[in-house]
């Protein structure tokens, strides 16, 4: 049912509230949805609000991509939370009995790293 709802939506839109420490990276549902979309080949886009994109650009100028890359590498679904405890337990049980946290973490991290590289490339082209 979950995958059907994602497929019916036609696309997944991820809006990060912060470029460096988004709540998205710590939310079980968010990480799980991203994993399912990637595995099912559903279209997805990752966006930053305007102010956060400006902060992202500033970080690129002063510190480079290393802080963001480190944060992405620290994503860990086993430590993520859900606002409803039953959902968190269900998601983590499903992942543990399936492919495991390492696989989900790796797939999601690779997606976000690819996005950060595209965002950085876009930033360079705009300069």
């Amino acid at each position: 049912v979950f995958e059907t709802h994602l497929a019916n939506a036609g696309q997944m839109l991820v809006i990060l509230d912060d470029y460096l420490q988004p709540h998205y990276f710590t939310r079980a549902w968010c990480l799980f949805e991203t994993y399912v979309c990637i595995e099912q080949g559903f279209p997805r886009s990752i966006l930053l609000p305007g102010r956060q994109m400006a902060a992202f650009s500033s970080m690129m100028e002063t510190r480079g991509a290393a802080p963001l890359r480190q944060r992405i590498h620290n994503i860990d679904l086993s430590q993520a939370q859900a606002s409803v405890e039953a959902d968190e337990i269900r998601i983590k049980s499903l992942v543990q009995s399936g492919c495991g946290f390492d696989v989900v973490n790796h797939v999601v991290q690779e997606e976000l790293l690819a996005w950060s590289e595209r965002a950085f490339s876009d930033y360079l082209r705009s300069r």
Side-chain angles (χ1 to χ4, degrees):
V1 171
F2 175 70
E3 289 177 14
T4 301
H5 288 296
L6 282 174
N8 288 338
Q11 168 173 273
M12 182 175 157
L13 183 60
V14 174
I15 301 174
L16 302 177
D17 61 327
D18 186 274
Y19 74 96
L20 191 55
Q21 294 196 25
H23 287 97
Y24 193 89
F25 290 6
T26 65
R27 307 304 301 161
W29 266 117
C30 296
L31 299 175
F32 183 68
E33 287 172 334
T34 300
Y35 173 75
V36 170
C37 283
I38 294 166
E39 288 302 298
Q40 296 300 317
F42 300 149
R44 56 215 173 268
S45 299
I46 301 172
L47 302 173
L48 280 172
R51 280 181 278 152
Q52 286 300 312
M53 186 51 107
F56 171 84
S57 297
S58 177
M59 178 191 68
M60 288 298 159
E61 289 178 4
T62 59
R63 296 171 33 196
L68 178 59
R69 292 181 60 81
Q70 183 59 48
R71 182 70 178 115
I72 290 171
H73 282 295
N74 288 336
I75 289 173
D76 184 357
L77 177 57
S78 71
Q79 300 300 311
Q81 300 174 337
S83 51
V84 176
E85 185 178 359
D87 287 348
E88 182 178 336
I89 292 168
R90 200 169 314 131
I91 289 167
K92 290 178 179 181
S93 294
L94 184 61
V95 169
Q96 281 180 309
S97 66
C99 61
F101 290 116
D102 288 343
V103 170
V104 172
N105 292 340
H106 178 75
V107 168
V108 172
Q109 289 166 359
E110 288 298 313
E111 176 80 358
L112 290 164
L113 286 169
W115 163 77
S116 70
E117 290 169 4
R118 286 189 305 274
F120 181 62
S121 179
D122 291 346
Y123 164 73
L124 290 176
R125 276 196 299 276
S126 72
R127 302 246 336 138

